Amino acid sequence: MKSILYILLILPTVLFSQDKISGMIMESNPEKKHIGLPGANVYWLDTTIGTVTDIDGKFTIPYKKEYTKLVISYVGFKTDTLTITEPKMVHHWLTPTSELDEVTVTSRKQATSKSYLQSANIMTVSSDELLKAACCNLSESFETNPSIDVNFADAVTGTRQIRMLGLTSPYILITSENIPTIRGASQAYGLSFTPGTWVESIQITKGAGSVVNGFESIAGQINTELVKPSTDARFFVNAYASENGRYELNTHLNTKVNDKWSTGLYVHGNIRDRKFDMNDDSFLDAPIQKQINFMNRWQYTNPEKGFVSFINFRYLNDSKQTGQIDFNPDTDKFTTNAWGSEINTQRIDASVKTGYVNPEVPWQSLGVQAAFSRHKQESYFGLTPYDILHNSLYTSAIYNSIISDSRHKIKTGLSYTYDHYDEFVNTSGFERTENSIGAFFEYNFDNLEKWNVSAGVRIDRHNLLGTFVTPRLHARYTPWEKSALRFSFGRGKRSANIFAENQSIFSTSRSLNVINSGGEIYGLDPEIAWNYGLSFLQGFNLFGRKADVTLDYYRTDFQNQVVVDYENPTEVNFYNLEGDSYANSFQLEFNYNVFEGFDLRTAYKFYDVKTQYNSGKLEKPLTSKHRLFANASYETHKEGSEAQWKFDATYNWLGKQRFSSTATNPVQYQLPEYSPTVGTLNAQITKVFSDKFEVYLGGENITNVTQDNPILGADDPFGANFDTTFVYGPIFGSMYYAGLRFKIK
């Protein structure tokens, strides 16, 4: 009995002594008055343990000795991180800010990071990650990322094509600072038009994106944030050279004009003027090319009045020559002397992005952005000319606020898009104008404990696609500590630019056929798809080091699709889907900090992508079901002068891939049903001498894996069986490169 009484007496004391942190979050003011901020977010870093301040700005949150970083955030205020070593009262003042960019707080700077708190499945790739490879342009920025697949589109142009969730880039919304950029005429080569040094970070969103960014996203969104004149180095130069004759130079010049204005001039140039034919098939292994790329970027910041703006002007001139090694465009163009191709692109871009944060009501903000581009491509492939002119205008206005407190956030606004296309294909002309106006609304609820939900809807009126509604939903649930269970679904709709998106078809002898269904675009109806996703992220400690594992499953169901049918080896047929078309994607990813400075990232991916063709339901050609990925990186400890070594290696393995049918070809031009498996290894070593200067040396395809006979009918390029699209692996062997980076802060 005494024991029971003793337990009952000490139980309240034990319960009361369970450690908690209490305090008050206030708005900063000169007099340091206690003006509480209701609805401010308070949570422990790298956990999902959090709370929201009450009407008086007060809070109480559980405490454990392993919790050391307390993050405090509020819409319109700077996010602060406090170091907590013991239970105590916390009184903290938050400072208002006019910065529009999202603030991400991490305890250790990670090259690639995932959030446990966001509703959408977003991976952020920093500039540190981009430096792990040569990363000469955006198309080469994903070699060390397990969520994006990089493949060659054909065997002559050297164009890299990316895939997400088993679907090619036209189904991915690609934006620059949330302005749609790589679309329409730029789909085939646009990724190579953004130099890697211009990129500050990349956000990769799996599944249907936010309604704020439009209705075209189906498989996901890739957004690039560009370097900013106010934070980029005053002077930066990056020089690169490879043994296959490619040379590049990037230069940044940034100047602070006054206390509000900063400007930057960014210049990129690359050239390859040497010819290589290592496999002796008479065709260039890599194109001869030149590119000059200028961008002038202005930044205006006025914290007192709550304004921040970015203004960009950009000019690009890109030229490529591909084909047989003996091809001379001056004498052989449009002749059968030798097969060759030239692709010349000129592009002009101008954009302005302005944001306003109400200094008196900092959770209210307004953003307005507008962008214009003129993309002109003049090209021919053998005897087939292809020209396209695409003028595009995009504008949007976005209003952000909260309802009651910062647990309930809203975004609403309008957008307008104008596109004019003028195409010339062989002997036929295609011209059309598309314009759409849309309104959107998105609500986000976040209690910082178990749930974060973003639900959005937009309605658009399109002159060719009609009036339609686009719903999107992302939800995150936290079942236990350091976990995030996510669910998403959304609808996407887009007009397929069948020639611009599939320019590899011109590097074949196939006839092009559009089977007209009475639609508004090339006689075809628009593509419509639903994307559903389920993802689970779990962080944990393994042998005292941080680790995490992610399981993703996404499914894309097409209600309508423009099918690109290669199953007849003498034709390419475009027609609207009749039947099923879907893409199932499963990914298992494991990340582990093995020891200080050494990180290991591995992934397994399974794709099941099938489409109903006229000849039956078949696997998507050249899409392997099984893929393995591994990346290991190591950095030595920085010395006093910031000197250190960096080592990085990436291995990719692709399972067999189905070839489209060649059964009716002559025997010498027939291929097996499936390709062999392929494994490639890339590596890079960087020596950092100081925070101003570093050099790097790397190799791609170090194992020297090459595809046998990548060009079908290379011996008779003007014959009926010529085809450069059967590419499943590297076209050329090992390639080594070197470069340097120098900057003055």
Side-chain angles (χ1 to χ4, degrees):
M1 187 67 178
K2 283 185 177 181
S3 298
I4 297 174
L5 288 173
Y6 181 71
I7 292 172
L8 291 174
L9 285 170
I10 68 168
L11 183 60
T13 305
V14 172
L15 292 176
F16 181 80
S17 66
Q18 288 182 343
D19 290 337
K20 294 183 179 181
I21 295 288
S22 297
M24 183 176 184
I25 307 303
M26 297 153 285
E27 179 180 353
S28 178
N29 58 86
E31 296 82 13
K32 288 290 183 179
K33 293 181 179 178
H34 287 58
I35 304 173
L37 280 177
N41 302 320
V42 183
Y43 61 94
W44 295 108
L45 186 66
D46 290 333
T47 77
T48 53
I49 307 302
T51 187
V52 178
T53 56
D54 63 17
I55 191 68
D56 298 315
K58 297 179 180 179
F59 73 94
T60 300
I61 187 172
Y63 169 76
K64 294 182 181 179
K65 62 179 181 180
E66 56 264 33
Y67 300 162
T68 59
K69 301 293 184 181
L70 187 67
V71 182
I72 304 168
S73 67
Y74 193 73
V75 176
F77 287 76
K78 291 182 179 179
T79 297
D80 288 340
T81 303
L82 309 181
T83 299
I84 305 295
T85 58
E86 60 183 359
K88 62 180 181 179
M89 291 293 294
V90 174
H91 284 182
H92 187 73
W93 285 264
L94 284 183
T95 304
T97 178
S98 60
E99 292 291 335
L100 292 182
D101 296 324
E102 179 181 355
V103 177
T104 303
V105 181
T106 56
S107 58
R108 173 180 177 266
K109 188 175 182 181
Q110 296 177 313
T112 300
S113 61
K114 298 178 181 178
S115 172
Y116 288 91
L117 300 175
Q118 292 173 300
S119 58
N121 188 3
I122 301 176
M123 177 184 297
T124 301
V125 180
S126 72
S127 57
D128 288 344
E129 180 72 22
L130 301 180
L131 296 179
K132 290 182 178 181
C135 190
C136 298
N137 58 60
L138 192 58
S139 71
E140 298 164 321
S141 299
F142 305 103
E143 298 285 357
T144 61
N145 190 288
S147 296
I148 304 294
D149 303 314
V150 183
N151 305 88
F152 286 101
D154 56 65
V156 294
T157 64
T159 305
R160 300 194 188 217
Q161 179 178 259
I162 64 171
R163 286 192 176 106
M164 183 191 294
L165 309 184
L167 297 174
T168 53
S169 56
Y171 299 109
I172 307 167
L173 178 62
I174 303 177
T175 61
S176 178
E177 300 185 324
N178 289 313
I179 296 176
T181 50
I182 300 175
R183 54 189 299 276
S186 62
Q187 275 286 359
Y189 310 113
L191 284 171
S192 66
F193 296 162
T194 300
T197 64
W198 294 7
V199 178
E200 183 180 77
S201 65
I202 302 174
Q203 295 83 46
I204 301 171
T205 304
K206 286 187 175 182
S210 168
V211 294
V212 174
N213 298 314
F215 54 81
E216 294 181 323
S217 170
I218 292 176
Q221 178 177 341
I222 297 175
N223 179 60
T224 59
E225 288 291 330
L226 303 180
V227 293
K228 297 171 176 58
S230 63
T231 56
D232 191 27
R234 287 190 295 117
F235 175 74
F236 172 82
V237 62
N238 173 50
Y240 166 96
S242 69
E243 65 171 343
N244 69 355
R246 180 176 172 182
Y247 303 94
E248 300 208 1
L249 183 67
N250 293 279
T251 304
H252 302 183
L253 293 169
N254 293 286
T255 303
K256 185 176 181 180
V257 180
N258 54 42
D259 61 343
K260 293 183 175 61
W261 283 97
S262 298
T263 185
L265 178 64
Y266 307 90
V267 182
H268 167 86
N270 71 65
I271 186 171
R272 181 192 282 118
D273 54 6
R274 296 166 59 191
K275 297 183 177 182
F276 292 90
D277 179 21
M278 303 301 291
N279 58 6
D280 296 323
D281 63 358
S282 81
F283 278 78
L284 293 170
D285 294 338
I288 299 171
Q289 64 183 43
K290 294 179 184 177
Q291 184 185 118
I292 188 71
N293 204 339
F294 296 93
M295 180 174 68
N296 182 212
R297 185 161 162 85
W298 291 80
Q299 179 179 353
Y300 172 81
T301 307
N302 189 334
E304 292 79 14
K305 295 188 176 180
F307 282 98
V308 61
S309 296
F310 292 95
I311 304 171
N312 297 340
F313 303 97
R314 182 178 166 193
Y315 171 77
L316 172 135
N317 191 316
D318 181 85
S319 62
K320 297 181 178 69
Q321 179 188 321
T322 70
Q324 290 184 290
I325 199 165
D326 294 330
F327 175 76
N328 183 343
D330 295 332
T331 57
D332 301 333
K333 180 178 179 179
F334 293 130
T335 74
T336 57
N337 297 338
W339 194 97
S341 168
E342 288 186 290
I343 307 164
N344 298 312
T345 304
Q346 288 189 342
R347 183 178 174 96
I348 299 172
D349 292 90
S351 65
V352 59
K353 183 177 180 180
T354 299
Y356 169 73
V357 176
N358 189 337
E360 302 298 325
V361 189
W363 58 82
Q364 292 181 353
S365 66
L366 177 67
V368 178
Q369 53 191 13
F372 170 79
S373 66
R374 184 179 189 271
H375 184 109
K376 184 179 182 180
Q377 177 185 323
E378 295 178 328
S379 54
Y380 62 90
F381 302 81
L383 303 177
T384 303
Y386 175 68
D387 299 332
I388 182 169
L389 175 64
H390 178 194
N391 291 321
S392 178
L393 175 66
Y394 172 82
T395 62
S396 71
I398 307 169
Y399 173 73
N400 296 268
S401 188
I402 63 175
I403 302 173
S404 177
D405 58 54
S406 62
R407 292 172 297 178
H408 307 272
K409 304 179 182 72
I410 61 168
K411 294 180 181 180
T412 187
L414 300 171
S415 65
Y416 173 77
T417 304
Y418 168 89
D419 294 288
H420 179 77
Y421 298 92
D422 192 355
E423 287 179 284
F424 182 75
V425 184
N426 207 349
T427 59
S428 301
F430 300 88
E431 186 176 2
R432 76 180 190 276
T433 298
E434 296 187 35
N435 58 72
S436 66
I437 186 167
F440 54 85
F441 178 85
E442 185 175 80
Y443 166 74
N444 174 262
F445 170 73
D446 185 1
N447 66 3
L448 278 178
E449 294 179 356
K450 294 293 185 181
W451 286 98
N452 185 318
V453 180
S454 293
V457 65
R458 63 178 295 136
I459 182 169
D460 290 89
R461 176 72 178 95
H462 193 287
N463 66 317
L464 299 182
L465 308 186
T467 302
F468 53 94
V469 175
T470 303
R472 304 274 171 84
L473 175 70
H474 296 270
R476 185 268 299 164
Y477 173 70
T478 301
W480 48 75
E481 189 176 349
K482 288 189 178 181
S483 66
L485 178 64
R486 292 183 171 91
F487 169 76
S488 68
F489 75 85
R491 182 178 188 265
K493 189 172 185 176
R494 63 180 297 272
S495 54
N497 293 279
I498 58 175
F499 300 119
E501 295 168 4
N502 300 280
Q503 294 191 38
S504 58
I505 62 177
F506 301 127
S507 299
T508 72
S509 293
R510 296 171 182 259
S511 62
L512 310 180
N513 305 307
V514 180
I515 302 175
N516 194 314
S517 62
E520 296 286 348
I521 303 164
Y522 307 105
L524 301 170
D525 293 323
E527 297 188 295
I528 303 173
W530 285 85
N531 181 279
Y532 311 90
L534 187 65
S535 175
F536 179 71
L537 168 64
Q538 179 66 59
F540 55 95
N541 287 330
L542 180 63
F543 304 117
R545 310 297 302 182
K546 287 187 177 181
D548 64 73
V549 62
T550 304
L551 290 90
D552 288 338
Y553 172 74
Y554 287 87
R555 179 180 175 88
T556 305
D557 274 315
F558 285 91
Q559 289 183 334
N560 191 32
Q561 186 180 28
V562 174
V563 178
V564 185
D565 188 344
Y566 283 83
E567 297 308 313
N568 184 330
T570 62
E571 300 176 351
V572 177
N573 294 305
F574 298 94
Y575 51 84
N576 281 118
L577 176 71
E578 291 186 8
D580 292 333
S581 180
Y582 59 82
N584 291 317
S585 169
F586 171 81
Q587 179 170 324
L588 171 62
E589 182 179 344
F590 172 71
N591 300 314
Y592 183 41
N593 176 226
V594 183
F595 53 83
E596 186 65 31
F598 184 80
D599 292 305
L600 178 66
R601 186 166 46 198
T602 61
Y604 164 73
K605 287 186 284 189
F606 172 80
Y607 291 143
D608 176 24
V609 186
K610 291 183 178 178
T611 299
Q612 183 70 46
Y613 297 95
N614 286 340
S615 54
K617 182 183 283 189
L618 301 169
E619 294 178 23
K620 185 79 172 176
L622 298 173
T623 302
S624 62
K625 281 191 173 183
H626 305 280
R627 291 173 178 252
L628 293 175
F629 168 92
N631 174 265
S633 61
Y634 174 67
E635 297 182 3
T636 61
H637 182 71
K638 286 185 179 181
E639 300 173 8
S641 61
E642 300 291 316
Q644 66 175 158
W645 287 90
K646 298 180 180 180
F647 304 88
D648 191 86
T650 302
Y651 178 76
N652 277 286
W653 179 87
L654 282 70
K656 63 181 184 178
Q657 304 169 54
R658 188 182 77 85
F659 288 126
S660 55
S661 176
T662 57
T664 59
N665 279 350
V667 175
Q668 65 270 32
Y669 299 124
Q670 290 182 10
L671 295 173
E673 186 177 0
Y674 287 93
S675 74
T677 62
V678 176
T680 59
L681 177 65
N682 299 342
Q684 180 175 286
I685 300 173
T686 303
K687 171 57 177 175
V688 180
F689 292 94
S690 69
D691 59 356
K692 296 180 180 179
F693 181 67
E694 62 187 62
V695 297
Y696 56 92
L697 175 69
E700 296 182 0
N701 189 20
I702 293 174
T703 50
N704 200 32
V705 176
T706 56
Q707 177 179 342
D708 294 332
N709 303 317
I711 300 177
L712 200 64
D715 59 330
D716 185 15
F718 295 98
N721 304 112
F722 177 67
D723 200 322
T724 70
T725 61
F726 292 100
V727 178
Y728 64 85
I731 302 166
F732 40 83
S734 302
M735 187 277 292
Y736 295 93
Y737 61 85
L740 62 86
R741 303 182 184 100
F742 175 75
K743 60 184 175 182
I744 299 175
K745 294 182 178 181

